[in-house]
Amino acid sequence: MKIIAMIPARYEASRFPGKLMKDLGGKPVIIRTYEATVATKLFDDVFVVTDSTIIYNEIEARGGKVIMSKKRHDCGSDRIAEAVENLDIDVVINVQGDEPFIDKVSLEKLIAVFKADKAHTVDLASLMVHITDTTVIENPNVVKVIVDQNNFALYFSRSPIPYPRDENAGVRYFKHKGIYAFRKQAILDFHRLPMLALEASEKIECIRYLEYGKRIKMVETTVESVGIDTPEDLEQAKQLWK
């Protein structure tokens, strides 16, 4: 089984333009992420895929592997789909370009899902974190997920799911951590299939997989990601890097 990592990298991030090229301990954020992903030694190959000549040139100049997108894409999954279409691979893991503090243990858990899935019943695997803070549960910027008894995703939402009509029912709430592992065919299908109403309403791309009958295996992790979405996040990352 050939497993690779893809790091989609846009320069013009809406909340923090140019963040992937900001300095983190003497190197750009995207370089830190790329090097950390390679250092896990979990992958047969690691690529950055970008629409930016600035990022492309930076990765290439430092000896990294980078692919330039040929088309304009609205999300990282579409960018990855274009990049892997002609690659001989089985599974691709989407590593977020703004998360240089790689959680190797969680990545190993995702890979283990596919190694154990001899019958190919899993199309995707992703991560979830148990949450108890009501403000987090009710925050529409935090995507929640509910799962069945075998930890396959039933639905993702920005709303609190399930609704706590009976607060003594013992429900556990989970935040979706946006790291995905895809079988190659699943991500190619995503790219070719049109967005439907539920995805359009929630603005959560993984809902498209559910709407078309794909199976998403969720893996629980206790590790919170350290992403860089704002200048304040970058300053915190600099302190953490030290």
Side-chain angles (χ1 to χ4, degrees), residues 2 24 48 79 115-116 164 172 179 196 210:
K2 187 171 183 180
L24 179 59
V48 172
R79 193 178 305 284
K115 288 186 175 179
R172 299 177 77 211
I179 297 177
L196 299 177
L210 296 181

Side-chain angles (χ1 to χ4, degrees), residues 93-110:
I93 293 185
N94 177 355
V95 175
Q96 303 298 317
D98 60 1
E99 295 189 6
F101 302 96
I102 296 296
D103 171 19
K104 181 178 178 179
V105 173
S106 293
L107 291 176
E108 287 175 323
K109 289 180 179 180
L110 290 180

